[in-house]
Amino acid sequence: MSSGPKKRNFQIEAFKHKVVVDPKYADKTWKILEHAIHEIYNHNASGLSFEELYRNAYNMVLHKFGEKLYSGLVSTMTFHLHTMSKSIEAAHGASFLEELNIKWNDHTKALQMIRDILMYMDRTFIPSTHKTPVHELGLNLWRDNVIHSSKIQPRLLNTLLDLILRERTGEVINRGLMRNIIKMLMDLGPSVYQEDFEKPFLEVSAEFYRAESLEFIECSDCGDYLKKAERRLNEEIERVSHYLDAKTEVKITNVVEKEMIANHMPRLVHMENSGLVKMLLDNKFEDLGRIYNLFRRVPDGLSTIRDVMTSHIRDTGKQLVTDPEKSKNPVEFVDTLLEKRDKYDKIISLAFSNDKTFQNALNASFEYFINLNPRSPEYISLFVDDKLRRGLKGEKEEDIEIILDKVMMLFRYLQEKDVFEKYYKQHLAKRLLSGKTVSDDAERSLIVKLKTECGYQFTSKLEGMFTDMKTSQDTMQGFYAAHAAELGNGPTLVVHVLTTGSWPTQSSITCNLPAELSALCEKFRSYYLGTHTGRRLSWQTNMGTADLRATFANGQKYELNVSTYQMCVLMLFNNTDSLSYREIEQATEIPSSDLKRCLQSLACVKGKNVLHKEPMSKDIGEDDAFSVNDKFTSKLRKVKIGTVVAQKETEPEKQETRQRVEEDRKPQIEAAIVRIMKSRRVLDHNNIIAEVTKQLQSRFLANPGEIKKRIESLIERDFLERDDSDRRLYRYLA
Amino acid sequence: MGVQKDRVRFNVGGRVFETTATTLANAGRNSLFGAMFDDNWDLQSHAGTTTTEHFIDRNPDCFAVLLDLLRTGELHIPSNVPEKLLYREALFYGLLDHVRAAKWGSFDGNMLRLARSVRGLAPGDGTAIRAGPDGGCCVAHGSMVHVYDWMMEEHPPISLDYQRVNDAIWVDSDNVVISACERLGRDEGGIGLFSSLTGELRYKFRVTHENQAKSYTGGALSFNSDYKLFSSCKGRSNEYGIGVWDQVTGKQVDFFYEPTGWSLGEADKLQWLHGTNCLLVATLFPRKDNCYISLLDFRDKSMVWLWSDIGAPLTDERRVRDAIAMEETRSVCVVNEYEDLGFMDLRRSVGSVRWSSRSRLMKGKMVDEPCYPKLALHEGQLFSSMNDSISVFSGPDWVLTSRLRNSYGGSICDFSIGGDRLFSLHSEENVFDVWETRPSPVM
């Protein structure tokens, strides 16, 4: 195709009447809109026609001038923001924030109106081109041109932090303005609020509280310091609620907690004369509550308090149970324990909001020190004995229950529950036989408690004792009904028939009863054996009591309340005036230690000396002689002599009880071993020890040496055998 | 009667309308009326005096329809007003959402009416139709996906390197994901996310194996509320299984490799179960000779439930053509080619099908170009397509309650429910039907 331009055949001309909108159309329309935006920023919008502006913006988008409209908007808005930024920079001192706030309000209002005009663009052009919507664009431009301008950003931050510092030091600031400015930062997006304000705010706060806490701790005691810390914490929480983002609360309280509490915990707790121990000693519930609530907020805070409390309870408790003075009086001893327990219960419920971990720590501490004293089981039983004997008189049923519940709490701490059982049985026996128990209900209630705590086995014998008492009553009624005629006016006999095994074992040494009585006893024996075949009766004279009517030489008549032994002795004086110790011993055959004790109470106690002893001395000698004390007088007609009172055991008695307990434990340990081996078949030594200890811990703490002995005994009796290849293994032999 | 304070007078394109500010408030703040009567614009003060007239340079007929919509909440389009015109006017006023909401009621399978049938341009068989969340839909035809908004306006079509499309899914009203076959040796096909509005590709979802990007064929798609996208993947060697991607970043986050003797990579259907956080994967005849249905738990990469017909004596009556999990009854519903429904208990670790011999109506009179049944579940109603009709089953015993039929276009090869609409795609003619719930009666 070399033909030049000269050779033109035809030419298609462009379609001349192409429908074009006025080429200036876009510019003209934009001018109108731009003018409107200026007017809006100049607070001069009342002259504008919304409908016209909306239609113009619509038309621009419709005629594909969306891009022009959008970029025009960006530059116009940027221009106005620059102007605003200048005027904010120019504001002096305190008016800075106010000016910023005013301009921000102006901008948001203008932005809303601009968005209204450009709504159609916002809805159609922006989504299809993935541009930023008008509202968000306005916020971004404000952020970049105003908040992040180099002359405003640092000044804004410093102003805000300075105002907060002034508020912390007691000045009143314009919280409304603060709230507006902070709200603006939040509206600009969470990252603006966090980076431009929250982060530096937290750093400055940490510094402030670090310095303040050091100053406080130097010049205040623990209680005051905590009050100040609490106040600061509340101030910060209040500040957040007034003008900061709610999410800041956790962060700022963490700062205060760390700087004011976590960093000073050991020093606060151990502060001389005002620390935790002092608060515990003085029952400072309010301070304790405060320390709990504050320390709870920081890691390891509660464990710090708990550890101090635990070691304090253990130390004081140890002192208490090992103090020989306190041990003298068992009732007082237990009372002190209960008092201590009540005190800490109250502290935990009032100040430590019934925190489970604190309750557990308290229990563990009590368990620790109560078992430091091997006599604790005995004392607790004695305490119960005392209460059930007399202490409960006049107290209401609910109070009795409360006391018993408290005793049960102490009981739970005991590791050697079987020792307690042993003593309890003895004491109960004495109470029942001497008829000294005040309330049958209270007795039974305690047994029920023990039963729920330790199971049926633990109380079956105790319950057996109550059954015996009841049956004996019925038997006696039957006996007198059958023999009413022949008994006449003779002495009245009351017999308690005790089941062997249910009651504490007693050496059954009988004494010689006076003739009148022994005949009566024989009658009873034949009556009883007549109704119950195949039983054996033996007399436990050492546990009985008797009421005697005595007429003295001066004609005075008294009713004497004595033990069976004492009765036997006194009856001898019906026939003679004077007897030597040996004669009495021969006639009654009372064991000498018992006889001495009983003579001592008949002759040596002032005001109750119905016998006269020669020579006069405190102790009973084998060569002493006794005669009726004719000069005996008493204000009361009824005289109670030498009642058998349950007392703290003497050293040999204690040894004996201990031995009996140890003896009783043997079959229990063996039973446990057999039970375990029966289910496991093969087990090594350490595991047996562990399992046996676990099984028995509700009753006592088994001694590993004893368990080993029991295992050996079981091997001897072919219950178990050692494994041939591994000597540490035991096998169960079925 | 005193003077009504909130009367407003408009002059629209020469016709005068009077209404109240209260009626206009129904338009909401994000409309022309909401902006116009905002305090900022200071127009309210004139509103009390009926003398002021607000001129709007628009079509008065459409304004009348839209004003009636604001007054009553109902949409009645006179025959002289084309729908498209009305939509354009509604867009101007910012009332398009109002129009859409009033156009059809909330979905009920037993109250549907055929709203319209839409013809497409593409040749060949349709692969799939998917309902969008706000009443639109997309139709996969060969290597293209045609996107329609709720007004049935077609938007620019989508393609992934012009490879054959296997599945498409709406992740939200603005975004569609499509999966396509790979082109050998090149990084083409796979899965991509597109703007439904403009059809542009936002990003592709890659499969990597030991830090190497692989080319693969994307199959069935599903996603969960946690912005995770799932797809069955079939590649050259190690890329068989279920891929998992983050929808927001497009990054691959997990891959469930196909265990030997089981099929995952060529699955026909994926379904995310929100209640149990598991994915149902079903590979069905005729893609494979046997059917494999399993539930995958991605937390510990285990198959928590599975069923297959391997080894079972196979008759056509026993062959599963589609499956859907029904979380409320803890069961999987399957269908055979005669539209018999079967059920499997998900609580048993190994499934077995209990067929219900409900209908044998279809048996024996197969149409010329049969389409295998498909299942869908929507708010307690079960839908199953067969030939040229769709059956609706309701109630706990899945009783047949309605049947939708439009015989024009041949058998239904796919259907989908979403945005309160049901779309069904025909196989003979390139046409799809839109079913909507009838508006409630006047009284």
Side-chain angles (χ1 to χ4, degrees), chain A residues 147-193:
Chain A
I147 298 304
H148 284 176
S149 98
S150 59
K151 284 186 185 149
I152 292 180
Q153 194 173 21
R155 191 170 163 198
L156 173 61
L157 177 64
N158 288 338
T159 313
L160 292 176
L161 293 179
D162 180 56
L163 281 170
I164 291 175
L165 177 67
R166 275 155 62 183
E167 195 181 41
R168 277 184 184 141
T169 51
E171 279 183 51
V172 175
I173 64 165
N174 183 348
R175 283 183 163 180
L177 184 58
M178 283 295 273
R179 184 172 54 239
N180 290 344
I181 298 292
I182 298 287
K183 173 90 172 31
M184 170 193 76
L185 293 178
M186 291 187 331
D187 286 349
L188 295 178
S191 69
V192 176
Y193 172 76

Side-chain angles (χ1 to χ4, degrees), chain A residues 29 89 93-94 270 274 417 473 505 601 643:
Chain A
T29 316
E89 284 164 23
H270 296 295
S274 68
K417 295 191 171 58
Q473 226 174 3
T505 41
S601 52
T643 335

Side-chain angles (χ1 to χ4, degrees), chain A residues 387-388 391-407 439 441-442 445-446 449:
Chain A
K387 288 290 168 208
L388 291 175
L392 292 173
K393 265 179 213 156
E395 298 202 40
K396 278 191 229 112
E397 218 167 287
E398 302 92 75
D399 296 339
I400 298 172
E401 279 297 303
I402 289 169
I403 290 178
L404 294 183
D405 278 337
K406 283 180 179 171
V407 169
S439 156
D441 288 344
S445 153
L446 189 66
K449 287 184 205 307

Side-chain angles (χ1 to χ4, degrees), chain B residues 152-173:
Chain B
M152 292 302 121
E153 293 285 315
E154 191 173 348
H155 286 253
I158 298 168
S159 83
L160 199 57
D161 309 314
Y162 295 105
Q163 285 299 295
R164 185 176 169 75
V165 175
N166 288 323
D167 198 2
I169 191 170
W170 294 79
V171 293
D172 56 44
S173 54

Side-chain angles (χ1 to χ4, degrees), chain A residues 287-310:
Chain A
D287 284 346
L288 287 166
R290 190 169 294 117
I291 202 170
Y292 175 84
N293 283 323
L294 289 175
F295 276 48
R296 184 171 53 176
R297 311 179 72 108
V298 302
D300 299 331
L302 285 190
S303 63
T304 309
I305 309 182
R306 208 161 48 230
D307 292 348
V308 171
M309 182 189 86
T310 308

Side-chain angles (χ1 to χ4, degrees), chain A residues 414-430:
Chain A
L414 291 178
Q415 277 164 356
E416 300 191 302
K417 295 191 171 58
D418 57 340
V419 177
F420 173 85
E421 186 198 359
K422 203 110 262 161
Y423 284 109
Y424 189 77
K425 210 155 120 185
Q426 275 175 27
H427 298 152
L428 177 64
K430 283 180 187 168

Side-chain angles (χ1 to χ4, degrees), chain A residues 368-385:
Chain A
Y368 162 79
F369 72 73
I370 283 187
N371 288 301
L372 284 180
N373 187 339
R375 306 194 69 166
S376 294
E378 184 191 346
Y379 290 172
I380 292 172
S381 176
L382 279 172
F383 176 81
V384 177
D385 188 57

Side-chain angles (χ1 to χ4, degrees), chain B residues 246-279:
Chain B
D246 188 318
Q247 257 175 51
V248 181
T249 63
K251 294 275 175 300
Q252 186 186 340
V253 290
D254 206 349
F255 201 88
F256 199 113
Y257 289 100
E258 179 175 303
T260 47
W262 199 261
S263 175
L264 293 177
E266 288 173 277
D268 294 274
K269 181 158 193 164
L270 301 188
Q271 183 191 358
W272 178 258
L273 308 184
H274 298 275
T276 45
N277 281 315
C278 287
L279 186 74

